[in-house]
Amino acid sequence: MDNRPIGVFDSGVGGMTVLKELRKKMPHENFVYLGDTKRFPYGSKSKQTIIELTKNAMEFLKKQNVKMIVIACGTATSQALEEVQNLYSIPIIGVIEPTVDYIYKTNKKKIGVMATAGTIRSKGWEKELSKRILELDLQSVACPLLAPMVEEGWYENKIAKLAVKEYIKSFKNREALILGCTHYPLLKEIIQKQLGKKVEVINIGTHVAQEVEKKLKKQDMLSQSNQTTLQIYLTETEHKFNEVASILLGENIEAKLVKEETELLV
Ligand code: DGL
């Protein structure tokens, strides 16, 4: 048993879609969330910058005495997971492998990925999927406008519908579509409606939560807290974060500001 919290990290509110699944799967766990809102969006930044920002986030979460870190960001997973896993001894989990494991089991080969420009450029999904799926038929589309729209709370309005329509028009005959950015589950309903029921739209958070539970169980590190805590830190609070996160989790969310001079140096 280990009641220390799990650290969860994203550039903004997107990682909260993963946190939601983690809490659903493991209701006795405590969590510390870090949203690097000051440097959002990550999707348009270089690999080197993403590595630096991800390292800073790992340092911050380590100081919060977490037992494991979930990089709840497709962009950081695809470009910095390996680097930080090599640097730190604490277990660090990304969003790609657990999802690829799941897709492999479904036997689906015609896959689509929507993600940020950085994730698509890194070919992170392509590399992992092609290791497991022999006759992989992959279509990838970079959707740079979607995460900023979600961050603004625009995930149900007309503009969101039009943007999604434009981005998904190049997907043809897909069996499954991976929402490769953790902001996109907030757009899932719109995406599913436009693609039709035959395409399985995959929320990566579900598969990450299963993997985290499996890993903690194996090492006898699951928490048994009855009164759990959720602490949320942001690097910039002039944001719609609280509003979007509160709707997503169905409870009142109040994020705290990280004092960066001492706690998160960039
Ligand atoms: N939520 C993030 C992802 O999964 C990043 C969005 C961004 O910062 O551009 O890719």
Side-chain angles (χ1 to χ4, degrees):
M1 180 184 76
D2 187 340
N3 288 352
R4 286 178 300 158
I6 299 173
V8 181
F9 158 61
D10 182 40
S11 58
V13 78
M16 296 297 277
T17 64
V18 178
L19 179 84
K20 184 177 177 178
E21 301 303 325
L22 290 165
R23 288 174 94 203
K24 213 193 279 173
K25 189 92 194 142
M26 293 166 287
H28 297 292
E29 294 295 331
N30 300 295
F31 292 95
V32 179
Y33 184 94
L34 173 66
D36 190 10
T37 40
K38 189 168 177 178
R39 266 134 320 230
F40 177 88
Y42 276 19
S44 54
K45 293 185 171 52
S46 70
K47 179 176 164 107
Q48 205 43 48
T49 302
I50 298 300
I51 292 174
E52 287 312 311
L53 298 177
T54 307
K55 276 199 237 165
N56 287 336
M58 301 300 101
E59 292 292 338
F60 173 80
L61 288 171
K62 259 178 57 193
K63 280 187 206 147
Q64 313 306 312
N65 192 29
V66 296
K67 61 184 172 187
M68 175 183 267
I69 297 176
V70 178
I71 299 189
C73 172
T75 311
T77 300
S78 62
Q79 295 175 92
L81 178 67
E82 240 181 272
E83 280 77 3
V84 291
Q85 277 178 335
N86 289 335
L87 275 177
Y88 301 100
S89 54
I90 183 167
I92 305 175
I93 300 204
V95 291
I96 297 183
E97 260 187 57
T99 311
V100 171
D101 277 350
Y102 166 74
I103 295 175
Y104 170 72
K105 284 179 204 144
T106 64
N107 225 3
K108 291 189 164 109
K109 301 193 189 315
K110 292 179 183 165
I111 314 295
V113 179
M114 304 170 73
T116 65
T119 301
I120 299 297
R121 189 195 59 233
S122 76
K123 298 197 165 31
W125 285 98
E126 199 175 321
K127 283 180 210 151
E128 287 304 319
L129 283 164
S130 58
K131 272 190 213 160
R132 308 285 303 273
I133 301 166
L134 279 182
E135 289 146 17
L136 175 70
D137 165 2
L138 183 70
Q139 289 175 1
S140 305
V141 175
C143 311
L145 293 182
L146 297 187
M149 277 175 33
V150 169
E151 203 73 15
E152 267 304 304
W154 285 21
Y155 47 85
E156 279 173 334
N157 67 13
K158 254 195 251 166
I159 316 236
K161 283 179 196 156
L162 280 173
V164 165
K165 194 171 173 195
E166 187 59 31
Y167 282 132
I168 68 171
K169 71 178 183 203
S170 50
F171 288 122
K172 297 275 174 315
N173 306 319
R174 296 300 87 193
E175 293 170 304
L177 177 74
I178 302 168
L179 303 179
C181 167
T182 52
H183 281 72
Y184 302 172
L186 282 142
L187 295 158
K188 190 174 178 208
E189 233 170 87
I190 296 183
I191 295 169
Q192 185 78 68
K193 220 179 214 167
Q194 293 194 18
L195 283 174
K197 280 189 201 139
K198 280 193 196 148
V199 184
E200 180 182 359
V201 177
I202 298 176
N203 176 359
I204 52 190
T206 320
H207 308 292
V208 174
Q210 271 171 19
E211 179 68 14
V212 169
E213 193 200 30
K214 202 169 101 190
K215 282 225 153 76
L216 290 176
K217 208 181 220 168
K218 205 170 160 194
Q219 293 170 42
D220 197 21
M221 279 170 73
L222 280 167
S223 160
Q224 283 171 14
S225 305
N226 283 325
Q227 275 195 326
T228 58
T229 57
L230 168 61
Q231 294 180 68
I232 300 177
Y233 293 97
L234 302 179
T235 49
E236 170 64 83
T237 47
E238 291 300 312
H239 248 263
K240 293 240 172 96
F241 185 99
N242 287 340
E243 206 179 303
V244 177
S246 300
I247 295 172
L248 179 66
L249 292 192
E251 64 189 86
N252 190 36
I253 296 295
E254 275 184 47
K256 293 181 215 143
L257 182 66
V258 175
K259 291 183 224 78
E260 289 203 84
E261 304 75 68
T262 51
E263 295 185 76
L264 193 72
L265 298 168
V266 176

